[in-house]
Amino acid sequence: MLTSKINTLNQLANQKTIVEMLAQVAEQFGGKAIFTTSFGYEDQVITHLIFSNNLPIKVVTLDTGRLFKETYKVYSQTLDTYKKEIVAYFPKHDAVEKMLTEKGPNSFYASADNRKECCNIRKVEPLNRALQGVECWITGIRAEQSPNRQGMTFFELDEQRNIIKFNPLLHWTFDEVKQFVKDNHVPYNVLHDKNFVSIGCEPCTRAIQPGEDFRAGRWWWETDSKKECGLHNHAK
Ligand code: SF4
């Protein structure tokens, strides 16, 4: 059932503009479509399209408690610019307290298991709460960002959560995203000007060097991981 819905939506997405598709999703899923933003370039494009077109799509952010001060700045600027609500989800305090007490504040550097534990507490659990009752989850994923994102389609099934994911910027290049932000005076994270491409938590994100992969700045000390934090599970 979800598969045939996804096929139909993918056919439509090949014929319509991005704003038309966002409007289609808003209409088709009513209050059960949400967009999650972490205020990176791609997310700011989608936020701009949703807010400036007054689309009835709930915009949500996950505040992990470990974000860059520059991210909080663009978060505030986005609220000031669009005067629209962004619903915040925060990690459960008892889980964070237990992890900090047992392992200290930087346990993620010690092992991949510790890193996944932190991502689960600070990102995945809040995301799963945000996604409760949701039928369509809109994301800023682009195919160019990582090798395991290249076989994706506009609409796909999140098998683990059994919901539809919509990736409207899937085929945009980084330069197209950057140009859109510039042309439309969209507030953006100034870390992008310092070679930060994919921006997550402060202790787990660094700038990339020329020629490095887009995701090289995330969890750079892990050499064999897929550089995903458990938010996005792609169907093969
Ligand atoms: Fe924790 Fe780093 Fe994951 Fe953020 S990115 S939740 S600090 S391990």
Side-chain angles (χ1 to χ4, degrees), residues 199-222:
I199 303 170
C201 295
E202 187 272 334
C204 301
T205 306
R206 66 160 170 77
I208 64 168
Q209 302 301 318
E212 271 191 316
D213 181 84
F214 277 102
R215 301 283 286 177
R218 305 293 294 277
W219 310 294
W220 60 92
W221 64 93
E222 290 183 10

PDB file of all heavy atoms in Angstrom, residues 199-222:
ATOM      1  N   ILE A 199      26.796  20.062   8.818  1.00  0.00           N
ATOM      2  CA  ILE A 199      27.028  20.564  10.181  1.00  0.00           C
ATOM      3  C   ILE A 199      26.113  19.865  11.176  1.00  0.00           C
ATOM      4  O   ILE A 199      24.894  19.965  11.099  1.00  0.00           O
ATOM      5  CB  ILE A 199      26.809  22.096  10.246  1.00  0.00           C
ATOM      6  CG1 ILE A 199      27.717  22.798   9.235  1.00  0.00           C
ATOM      7  CG2 ILE A 199      27.075  22.613  11.668  1.00  0.00           C
ATOM      8  CD1 ILE A 199      27.420  24.276   9.054  1.00  0.00           C
ATOM      9  N   GLY A 200      26.728  19.165  12.119  1.00  0.00           N
ATOM     10  CA  GLY A 200      25.966  18.503  13.180  1.00  0.00           C
ATOM     11  C   GLY A 200      26.390  19.051  14.519  1.00  0.00           C
ATOM     12  O   GLY A 200      26.514  20.263  14.703  1.00  0.00           O
ATOM     13  N   CYS A 201      26.674  18.161  15.483  1.00  0.00           N
ATOM     14  CA  CYS A 201      27.093  18.589  16.816  1.00  0.00           C
ATOM     15  C   CYS A 201      28.524  19.125  16.777  1.00  0.00           C
ATOM     16  O   CYS A 201      29.361  18.633  16.010  1.00  0.00           O
ATOM     17  CB  CYS A 201      27.014  17.420  17.791  1.00  0.00           C
ATOM     18  SG  CYS A 201      25.347  16.837  18.069  1.00  0.00           S
ATOM     19  N   GLU A 202      28.808  20.089  17.640  1.00  0.00           N
ATOM     20  CA  GLU A 202      30.117  20.746  17.656  1.00  0.00           C
ATOM     21  C   GLU A 202      31.287  19.766  17.852  1.00  0.00           C
ATOM     22  O   GLU A 202      32.275  19.835  17.118  1.00  0.00           O
ATOM     23  CB  GLU A 202      30.098  21.854  18.719  1.00  0.00           C
ATOM     24  CG  GLU A 202      31.315  22.735  18.755  1.00  0.00           C
ATOM     25  CD  GLU A 202      32.416  22.177  19.646  1.00  0.00           C
ATOM     26  OE1 GLU A 202      32.092  21.426  20.590  1.00  0.00           O
ATOM     27  OE2 GLU A 202      33.594  22.462  19.370  1.00  0.00           O
ATOM     28  N   PRO A 203      31.212  18.825  18.825  1.00  0.00           N
ATOM     29  CA  PRO A 203      32.389  17.966  19.013  1.00  0.00           C
ATOM     30  C   PRO A 203      32.582  16.939  17.902  1.00  0.00           C
ATOM     31  O   PRO A 203      33.644  16.314  17.827  1.00  0.00           O
ATOM     32  CB  PRO A 203      32.121  17.243  20.340  1.00  0.00           C
ATOM     33  CG  PRO A 203      30.748  17.564  20.754  1.00  0.00           C
ATOM     34  CD  PRO A 203      30.154  18.549  19.812  1.00  0.00           C
ATOM     35  N   CYS A 204      31.587  16.760  17.041  1.00  0.00           N
ATOM     36  CA  CYS A 204      31.640  15.698  16.032  1.00  0.00           C
ATOM     37  C   CYS A 204      31.654  16.231  14.608  1.00  0.00           C
ATOM     38  O   CYS A 204      31.394  15.489  13.650  1.00  0.00           O
ATOM     39  CB  CYS A 204      30.448  14.764  16.211  1.00  0.00           C
ATOM     40  SG  CYS A 204      30.416  14.000  17.836  1.00  0.00           S
ATOM     41  N   THR A 205      31.927  17.515  14.440  1.00  0.00           N
ATOM     42  CA  THR A 205      31.921  18.118  13.101  1.00  0.00           C
ATOM     43  C   THR A 205      33.177  18.957  12.921  1.00  0.00           C
ATOM     44  O   THR A 205      33.538  19.728  13.805  1.00  0.00           O
ATOM     45  CB  THR A 205      30.695  19.062  12.932  1.00  0.00           C
ATOM     46  OG1 THR A 205      29.508  18.342  13.250  1.00  0.00           O
ATOM     47  CG2 THR A 205      30.585  19.589  11.517  1.00  0.00           C
ATOM     48  N   ARG A 206      33.815  18.810  11.779  1.00  0.00           N
ATOM     49  CA  ARG A 206      34.946  19.687  11.453  1.00  0.00           C
ATOM     50  C   ARG A 206      34.820  20.144  10.001  1.00  0.00           C
ATOM     51  O   ARG A 206      34.038  19.574   9.229  1.00  0.00           O
ATOM     52  CB  ARG A 206      36.288  18.982  11.690  1.00  0.00           C
ATOM     53  CG  ARG A 206      36.560  17.799  10.770  1.00  0.00           C
ATOM     54  CD  ARG A 206      38.051  17.498  10.732  1.00  0.00           C
ATOM     55  NE  ARG A 206      38.392  16.258  10.061  1.00  0.00           N
ATOM     56  CZ  ARG A 206      38.416  16.060   8.743  1.00  0.00           C
ATOM     57  NH1 ARG A 206      38.016  17.011   7.906  1.00  0.00           N
ATOM     58  NH2 ARG A 206      38.791  14.898   8.233  1.00  0.00           N
ATOM     59  N   ALA A 207      35.614  21.146   9.645  1.00  0.00           N
ATOM     60  CA  ALA A 207      35.640  21.610   8.257  1.00  0.00           C
ATOM     61  C   ALA A 207      36.273  20.522   7.388  1.00  0.00           C
ATOM     62  O   ALA A 207      37.014  19.681   7.893  1.00  0.00           O
ATOM     63  CB  ALA A 207      36.460  22.895   8.167  1.00  0.00           C
ATOM     64  N   ILE A 208      35.951  20.539   6.085  1.00  0.00           N
ATOM     65  CA  ILE A 208      36.602  19.570   5.188  1.00  0.00           C
ATOM     66  C   ILE A 208      37.687  20.271   4.370  1.00  0.00           C
ATOM     67  O   ILE A 208      37.664  21.492   4.201  1.00  0.00           O
ATOM     68  CB  ILE A 208      35.599  18.850   4.255  1.00  0.00           C
ATOM     69  CG1 ILE A 208      34.909  19.826   3.295  1.00  0.00           C
ATOM     70  CG2 ILE A 208      34.592  18.045   5.042  1.00  0.00           C
ATOM     71  CD1 ILE A 208      34.143  19.120   2.178  1.00  0.00           C
ATOM     72  N   GLN A 209      38.631  19.458   3.880  1.00  0.00           N
ATOM     73  CA  GLN A 209      39.719  19.969   3.038  1.00  0.00           C
ATOM     74  C   GLN A 209      39.290  19.867   1.575  1.00  0.00           C
ATOM     75  O   GLN A 209      38.424  19.051   1.242  1.00  0.00           O
ATOM     76  CB  GLN A 209      40.983  19.126   3.249  1.00  0.00           C
ATOM     77  CG  GLN A 209      41.468  19.090   4.687  1.00  0.00           C
ATOM     78  CD  GLN A 209      41.794  20.475   5.216  1.00  0.00           C
ATOM     79  OE1 GLN A 209      42.389  21.298   4.521  1.00  0.00           O
ATOM     80  NE2 GLN A 209      41.356  20.752   6.440  1.00  0.00           N
ATOM     81  N   PRO A 210      39.893  20.684   0.676  1.00  0.00           N
ATOM     82  CA  PRO A 210      39.553  20.574  -0.744  1.00  0.00           C
ATOM     83  C   PRO A 210      39.712  19.124  -1.225  1.00  0.00           C
ATOM     84  O   PRO A 210      40.702  18.471  -0.908  1.00  0.00           O
ATOM     85  CB  PRO A 210      40.577  21.492  -1.426  1.00  0.00           C
ATOM     86  CG  PRO A 210      41.002  22.446  -0.350  1.00  0.00           C
ATOM     87  CD  PRO A 210      40.896  21.709   0.949  1.00  0.00           C
ATOM     88  N   GLY A 211      38.709  18.641  -1.948  1.00  0.00           N
ATOM     89  CA  GLY A 211      38.773  17.280  -2.502  1.00  0.00           C
ATOM     90  C   GLY A 211      38.223  16.218  -1.567  1.00  0.00           C
ATOM     91  O   GLY A 211      38.019  15.074  -1.978  1.00  0.00           O
ATOM     92  N   GLU A 212      37.977  16.577  -0.291  1.00  0.00           N
ATOM     93  CA  GLU A 212      37.439  15.571   0.632  1.00  0.00           C
ATOM     94  C   GLU A 212      35.954  15.360   0.378  1.00  0.00           C
ATOM     95  O   GLU A 212      35.243  16.251  -0.100  1.00  0.00           O
ATOM     96  CB  GLU A 212      37.629  16.037   2.088  1.00  0.00           C
ATOM     97  CG  GLU A 212      38.957  15.623   2.686  1.00  0.00           C
ATOM     98  CD  GLU A 212      38.995  15.864   4.194  1.00  0.00           C
ATOM     99  OE1 GLU A 212      38.545  16.935   4.650  1.00  0.00           O
ATOM    100  OE2 GLU A 212      39.477  14.984   4.901  1.00  0.00           O
ATOM    101  N   ASP A 213      35.481  14.184   0.759  1.00  0.00           N
ATOM    102  CA  ASP A 213      34.078  13.816   0.651  1.00  0.00           C
ATOM    103  C   ASP A 213      33.216  14.769   1.502  1.00  0.00           C
ATOM    104  O   ASP A 213      33.670  15.266   2.528  1.00  0.00           O
ATOM    105  CB  ASP A 213      33.966  12.371   1.176  1.00  0.00           C
ATOM    106  CG  ASP A 213      32.563  11.845   1.110  1.00  0.00           C
ATOM    107  OD1 ASP A 213      32.199  11.363   0.032  1.00  0.00           O
ATOM    108  OD2 ASP A 213      31.844  11.907   2.126  1.00  0.00           O
ATOM    109  N   PHE A 214      31.951  14.981   1.080  1.00  0.00           N
ATOM    110  CA  PHE A 214      31.042  15.872   1.810  1.00  0.00           C
ATOM    111  C   PHE A 214      30.879  15.475   3.279  1.00  0.00           C
ATOM    112  O   PHE A 214      30.685  16.312   4.130  1.00  0.00           O
ATOM    113  CB  PHE A 214      29.655  15.865   1.150  1.00  0.00           C
ATOM    114  CG  PHE A 214      29.547  16.799  -0.015  1.00  0.00           C
ATOM    115  CD1 PHE A 214      29.603  16.318  -1.312  1.00  0.00           C
ATOM    116  CD2 PHE A 214      29.395  18.160   0.172  1.00  0.00           C
ATOM    117  CE1 PHE A 214      29.505  17.169  -2.400  1.00  0.00           C
ATOM    118  CE2 PHE A 214      29.296  19.024  -0.902  1.00  0.00           C
ATOM    119  CZ  PHE A 214      29.359  18.528  -2.197  1.00  0.00           C
ATOM    120  N   ARG A 215      30.917  14.173   3.536  1.00  0.00           N
ATOM    121  CA  ARG A 215      30.658  13.721   4.903  1.00  0.00           C
ATOM    122  C   ARG A 215      31.947  13.528   5.699  1.00  0.00           C
ATOM    123  O   ARG A 215      31.922  13.051   6.830  1.00  0.00           O
ATOM    124  CB  ARG A 215      29.852  12.410   4.891  1.00  0.00           C
ATOM    125  CG  ARG A 215      28.504  12.517   4.191  1.00  0.00           C
ATOM    126  CD  ARG A 215      27.443  13.199   5.012  1.00  0.00           C
ATOM    127  NE  ARG A 215      26.938  12.376   6.092  1.00  0.00           N
ATOM    128  CZ  ARG A 215      26.042  12.778   6.978  1.00  0.00           C
ATOM    129  NH1 ARG A 215      25.577  14.015   6.931  1.00  0.00           N
ATOM    130  NH2 ARG A 215      25.616  11.992   7.936  1.00  0.00           N
ATOM    131  N   ALA A 216      33.086  13.899   5.099  1.00  0.00           N
ATOM    132  CA  ALA A 216      34.379  13.670   5.766  1.00  0.00           C
ATOM    133  C   ALA A 216      34.499  14.450   7.070  1.00  0.00           C
ATOM    134  O   ALA A 216      35.278  14.085   7.941  1.00  0.00           O
ATOM    135  CB  ALA A 216      35.516  14.048   4.822  1.00  0.00           C
ATOM    136  N   GLY A 217      33.724  15.524   7.199  1.00  0.00           N
ATOM    137  CA  GLY A 217      33.808  16.337   8.400  1.00  0.00           C
ATOM    138  C   GLY A 217      32.961  15.829   9.556  1.00  0.00           C
ATOM    139  O   GLY A 217      32.900  16.470  10.605  1.00  0.00           O
ATOM    140  N   ARG A 218      32.272  14.711   9.360  1.00  0.00           N
ATOM    141  CA  ARG A 218      31.440  14.156  10.430  1.00  0.00           C
ATOM    142  C   ARG A 218      32.110  12.901  10.972  1.00  0.00           C
ATOM    143  O   ARG A 218      32.471  12.013  10.202  1.00  0.00           O
ATOM    144  CB  ARG A 218      30.044  13.803   9.892  1.00  0.00           C
ATOM    145  CG  ARG A 218      29.329  14.961   9.221  1.00  0.00           C
ATOM    146  CD  ARG A 218      28.957  16.059  10.188  1.00  0.00           C
ATOM    147  NE  ARG A 218      27.957  15.643  11.175  1.00  0.00           N
ATOM    148  CZ  ARG A 218      26.648  15.620  10.954  1.00  0.00           C
ATOM    149  NH1 ARG A 218      26.175  15.991   9.789  1.00  0.00           N
ATOM    150  NH2 ARG A 218      25.809  15.242  11.892  1.00  0.00           N
ATOM    151  N   TRP A 219      32.261  12.761  12.272  1.00  0.00           N
ATOM    152  CA  TRP A 219      32.841  11.574  12.939  1.00  0.00           C
ATOM    153  C   TRP A 219      34.097  11.125  12.203  1.00  0.00           C
ATOM    154  O   TRP A 219      34.265   9.947  11.895  1.00  0.00           O
ATOM    155  CB  TRP A 219      31.789  10.449  13.001  1.00  0.00           C
ATOM    156  CG  TRP A 219      30.484  10.934  13.538  1.00  0.00           C
ATOM    157  CD1 TRP A 219      30.252  11.372  14.811  1.00  0.00           C
ATOM    158  CD2 TRP A 219      29.237  11.063  12.835  1.00  0.00           C
ATOM    159  NE1 TRP A 219      28.941  11.781  14.941  1.00  0.00           N
ATOM    160  CE2 TRP A 219      28.303  11.596  13.741  1.00  0.00           C
ATOM    161  CE3 TRP A 219      28.832  10.777  11.537  1.00  0.00           C
ATOM    162  CZ2 TRP A 219      26.977  11.857  13.380  1.00  0.00           C
ATOM    163  CZ3 TRP A 219      27.521  11.042  11.184  1.00  0.00           C
ATOM    164  CH2 TRP A 219      26.621  11.566  12.095  1.00  0.00           C
ATOM    165  N   TRP A 220      35.010  12.066  11.940  1.00  0.00           N
ATOM    166  CA  TRP A 220      36.191  11.805  11.113  1.00  0.00           C
ATOM    167  C   TRP A 220      37.104  10.749  11.714  1.00  0.00           C
ATOM    168  O   TRP A 220      37.895  10.148  11.000  1.00  0.00           O
ATOM    169  CB  TRP A 220      36.968  13.110  10.903  1.00  0.00           C
ATOM    170  CG  TRP A 220      37.426  13.700  12.203  1.00  0.00           C
ATOM    171  CD1 TRP A 220      38.625  13.488  12.821  1.00  0.00           C
ATOM    172  CD2 TRP A 220      36.678  14.558  13.055  1.00  0.00           C
ATOM    173  NE1 TRP A 220      38.665  14.165  14.011  1.00  0.00           N
ATOM    174  CE2 TRP A 220      37.479  14.838  14.182  1.00  0.00           C
ATOM    175  CE3 TRP A 220      35.403  15.137  12.980  1.00  0.00           C
ATOM    176  CZ2 TRP A 220      37.051  15.645  15.227  1.00  0.00           C
ATOM    177  CZ3 TRP A 220      34.986  15.953  14.023  1.00  0.00           C
ATOM    178  CH2 TRP A 220      35.807  16.200  15.121  1.00  0.00           C
ATOM    179  N   TRP A 221      37.009  10.515  13.008  1.00  0.00           N
ATOM    180  CA  TRP A 221      37.876   9.513  13.631  1.00  0.00           C
ATOM    181  C   TRP A 221      37.388   8.085  13.372  1.00  0.00           C
ATOM    182  O   TRP A 221      38.110   7.136  13.650  1.00  0.00           O
ATOM    183  CB  TRP A 221      37.977   9.770  15.148  1.00  0.00           C
ATOM    184  CG  TRP A 221      36.676   9.628  15.874  1.00  0.00           C
ATOM    185  CD1 TRP A 221      36.199   8.506  16.494  1.00  0.00           C
ATOM    186  CD2 TRP A 221      35.668  10.622  16.055  1.00  0.00           C
ATOM    187  NE1 TRP A 221      34.957   8.747  17.033  1.00  0.00           N
ATOM    188  CE2 TRP A 221      34.613  10.050  16.782  1.00  0.00           C
ATOM    189  CE3 TRP A 221      35.552  11.981  15.663  1.00  0.00           C
ATOM    190  CZ2 TRP A 221      33.454  10.750  17.125  1.00  0.00           C
ATOM    191  CZ3 TRP A 221      34.398  12.670  16.016  1.00  0.00           C
ATOM    192  CH2 TRP A 221      33.371  12.063  16.727  1.00  0.00           C
ATOM    193  N   GLU A 222      36.176   7.944  12.828  1.00  0.00           N
ATOM    194  CA  GLU A 222      35.670   6.604  12.487  1.00  0.00           C
ATOM    195  C   GLU A 222      35.968   6.354  11.013  1.00  0.00           C
ATOM    196  O   GLU A 222      35.487   7.085  10.161  1.00  0.00           O
ATOM    197  CB  GLU A 222      34.151   6.521  12.720  1.00  0.00           C
ATOM    198  CG  GLU A 222      33.779   6.552  14.184  1.00  0.00           C
ATOM    199  CD  GLU A 222      32.277   6.389  14.393  1.00  0.00           C
ATOM    200  OE1 GLU A 222      31.543   6.072  13.442  1.00  0.00           O
ATOM    201  OE2 GLU A 222      31.846   6.596  15.541  1.00  0.00           O
TER     202      GLU A 222
END
